[in-house]
Amino acid sequence: APGWTCTNNSTPLGTTGWFQGNDAVFPAQAGAPNAYIGANFNNTTGATGTIDNWLISPQFNFGIGATLSFWSRAPAPPAFADRLEIRLSTAGA
């Protein structure tokens, strides 16, 4: 989508970054079956690589009582310890 930034800082750098959803792995929560963005272990290489892949939204202005909702999913059974962090900048862009 316009305004989003993808930054893969994984070490060592792998063969993929963020990618269009793959409905052969699982379908999207809503919309078209591949209507999601994905990232996986291929963001780095080797068993000891560190995944550090950022998906940065454009700046949003939230009003009083506003909420941010999202869905997170991993294939079953999980093969890796998936972790996700959501961060908020209150300093603007």
Side-chain angles (χ1 to χ4, degrees), residues 35-86:
Y36 65 93
I37 192 163
N40 63 21
F41 63 93
N42 288 317
N43 291 172
T44 188
T45 59
T48 60
T50 300
I51 297 174
D52 183 14
N53 198 355
W54 293 68
L55 179 62
I56 304 167
S57 75
Q59 185 172 338
F60 290 101
N61 293 317
F62 291 99
I64 295 172
T67 61
L68 171 67
S69 299
F70 66 94
W71 288 262
S72 175
R73 186 172 178 181
F80 301 97
D82 293 326
R83 292 175 182 83
L84 177 68
E85 290 182 28
I86 305 298

